[in-house]
Amino acid sequence: MAAGPPRTAQQENRRALWSWALYDWANSAFFTIILTFIFARYFSQSVVQDDIAGTNAWGNIVGVSGIVVALLAPVLGAIADQSGRRKPWLIAFTLLCVVGSGMLWFVEPGSGDLWFSAFWVSVGILGAECAFIFYNAMLPDLSSPSRLGRWSGWSWGLGYVGGVTCLVVALFGFIEGDTSWLGLDRDNLEHVRATFVLVALWYLLFSLPAFFFIPDQPSRGLSMGQAIRSGLGQLKDSLGKVRELGHILRFLVARMLYTDGLATIFTFGGVYAAGTFGMNQTHVLQFAIALNVTSGLGALGFAWVDDALGGRNTVLLSLVGLGTSALAILLVDSTLWFWIWGMVLGIFVGPLQSASRSYMARVVPADLQTQMFGLFAFSGKATAFAGPLLVGWVTVATGSQRWGMATILVFLAAGFLIMLTVPQASKVPHQQP
């Protein structure tokens, strides 16, 4: 579907754009509470009741779910491009995650109900990740060309702030707060399980503006069967035109590499902090919250830099900052300097992710937006296993966490070098206006 004439800043629908940005605030609660800080630990310690077996099972659940998302993403995007509308997909996958999160309330401690937990967590991951494909693809239709970086950065920053805010509410309103007025049975860990319901309600509530106020593309009148056949044909055709879309392919390969490095930082950051600097669980949690705050501030602050320098140059700048601070963290021995350089590192995390999205929004062909953002999602998941595996192997081989974590620099450097071959959006023929 051809795009209309490019919008100017004065023609932007601000209500739609702020509703779009608020969706990032809504979505981040699932990743913060369920996947990172609270349910992941609850699953290992209270459901499986064995740290080793629980960690292994959790890794398998998240890993397999990621593979499913990676395989589905380009196909779903292609089908949506052919059917025209995106919002029904966004709503459907959002509700899927809402239901998956809410059902985790029924996962009781000591139940050993691994498969029930695995099913509903996987449903939540599928919903949250796939919803983001259609969410990202909406940006080029809503923002003026000169403000793509700003809106991408603002929404990504809101996402970090929303995740931290929901975590603070969960910690002090439920886990460590007085929940007697809710009648929660602390012996049965209902005060912890209530945070999973909090995620469901949070996600649903803050998604409503996007559901109501974001305009959608018109339907192309195809039945679902026709859209599927047409979408698969379009995806096959696009993959056959790799030479014409070579700049996007190189960008996606670069993003795949540096995203592996970034994901590994977050996966092993707490392990490294505990093992090398002796930080306890409380200190690790405090560090994680602070890191998310600086990441959000970085995404917000660099939003104007993105529009001034372009997404490509902002990605390169962020990779230099990220690599430098990661190297410093590997060299310091003081906990104070670990905190300082960790906060510096966080500043560049948000802009790296935000500028990646804005670059894609600028160069993607107008009639392939959702499909290309499906491939964008694929690039973030396809080799997500590589970083953690390499860290583990090198750590065992050298007997050093520092050497293991140093492998992250390889991914960042490789992504940087390939990104140097990617043209600026302004030099791409037929780029998204």
Side-chain angles (χ1 to χ4, degrees):
M1 180 180 300
R7 289 174 175 80
T8 66
Q10 290 72 32
Q11 293 172 330
E12 289 178 344
N13 182 337
R14 298 300 176 87
R15 184 172 71 171
L17 277 163
W18 281 115
S19 299
W20 178 85
L22 189 63
Y23 186 87
D24 221 322
W25 168 290
N27 175 278
S28 61
F30 175 80
F31 295 97
T32 304
I33 301 293
I34 305 297
L35 286 192
T36 306
F37 292 121
I38 297 181
F39 184 79
R41 188 179 181 198
Y42 173 82
F43 174 81
S44 179
Q45 296 185 343
S46 301
V47 179
V48 180
Q49 296 185 324
D50 182 289
D51 282 338
I52 302 300
T55 299
N56 181 57
W58 183 252
N60 290 334
I61 291 169
V62 175
V64 171
S65 299
I67 292 171
V68 172
V69 170
L71 295 175
L72 280 179
V75 177
L76 290 173
I79 294 170
D81 278 332
Q82 295 306 303
S83 64
R85 302 185 66 194
R86 299 191 186 102
K87 197 150 61 167
W89 296 88
L90 177 74
I91 294 173
F93 280 113
T94 298
L95 294 179
L96 195 64
C97 184
V98 167
V99 171
S101 300
M103 288 300 294
L104 295 178
W105 160 265
F106 298 103
V107 179
E108 298 186 10
S111 63
D113 200 346
L114 175 64
W115 291 109
F116 183 85
S117 304
F119 176 78
W120 287 112
V121 167
S122 299
V123 166
I125 293 173
L126 180 67
E129 294 280 9
C130 289
F132 228 59
I133 298 167
F134 305 97
Y135 168 73
N136 285 335
M138 291 176 171
L139 177 58
D141 292 332
L142 297 175
S143 173
S144 64
S146 62
R147 293 162 63 88
L148 275 170
R150 231 165 298 186
W151 282 109
S152 182
W154 287 343
S155 68
W156 213 285
L158 273 177
Y160 279 112
V161 175
V164 170
T165 303
C166 189
L167 179 61
V168 169
V169 172
L171 284 175
F172 298 106
F174 293 92
I175 295 177
E176 296 183 5
D178 180 9
T179 55
S180 58
W181 62 282
L182 289 171
L184 298 177
D185 182 1
R186 298 184 76 88
D187 291 334
N188 201 31
L189 297 184
E190 289 185 352
H191 62 301
V192 177
R193 290 155 54 200
T195 64
F196 314 146
V197 180
L198 169 67
V199 169
L201 296 176
W202 181 286
Y203 197 175
L204 179 61
L205 175 64
F206 291 111
S207 295
L208 292 179
F211 296 170
F212 288 112
F213 300 131
I214 296 179
D216 200 3
Q217 294 277 12
S219 171
R220 299 185 65 179
L222 299 180
S223 68
M224 180 56 69
Q226 291 172 322
I228 291 173
R229 288 192 296 272
S230 183
L232 292 175
Q234 179 62 65
L235 180 60
K236 181 180 179 181
D237 184 59
S238 297
L239 294 176
K241 295 179 179 177
V242 169
R243 182 172 298 179
E244 296 176 26
L245 303 173
H247 56 288
I248 294 180
L249 178 63
R250 293 197 302 277
F251 166 67
L252 292 177
V253 172
R255 180 177 181 267
M256 181 175 66
L257 290 167
Y258 63 67
T259 298
D260 280 353
L262 192 60
T264 307
I265 289 174
F266 281 95
T267 300
F268 286 95
V271 175
Y272 182 73
T276 302
F277 294 92
M279 294 169 63
N280 60 32
Q281 182 64 46
T282 300
H283 292 151
V284 169
L285 187 57
Q286 291 170 344
F287 179 80
I289 292 174
L291 183 63
N292 275 272
V293 170
T294 59
S295 296
L297 292 175
L300 291 169
F302 271 73
W304 288 271
V305 175
D306 187 338
D307 283 331
L309 300 181
R312 169 192 180 269
N313 292 338
T314 305
V315 167
L316 290 171
L317 178 62
S318 299
L319 285 171
V320 170
L322 198 63
T324 301
S325 50
L327 177 61
I329 287 173
L330 294 172
L331 296 177
V332 299
D333 294 315
S334 162
T335 301
L336 173 62
W337 281 107
F338 173 79
W339 268 84
I340 291 173
W341 282 109
M343 298 306 98
V344 172
L345 181 145
I347 291 172
F348 296 100
V349 170
L352 179 62
Q353 296 169 311
S354 171
S356 298
R357 177 168 64 188
S358 70
Y359 180 82
M360 190 68 170
R362 289 183 175 105
V363 301
V364 64
D367 59 338
L368 300 177
Q369 283 174 194
T370 318
Q371 179 188 143
M372 288 297 149
F373 272 107
L375 290 171
F376 185 80
F378 175 83
S379 72
K381 298 290 180 183
T383 59
F385 60 88
L389 279 179
L390 192 57
V391 169
W393 291 341
V394 175
T395 299
V396 171
T398 62
S400 168
Q401 277 189 320
R402 291 183 190 271
W403 280 110
M405 291 293 285
T407 59
I408 291 170
L409 298 175
V410 176
F411 289 95
L412 299 179
F416 179 87
L417 292 175
I418 295 176
M419 198 68 197
L420 287 174
T421 71
V422 174
Q424 295 186 45
S426 59
K427 297 181 180 179
V428 175
H430 310 298
Q431 75 268 20
Q432 171 68 32

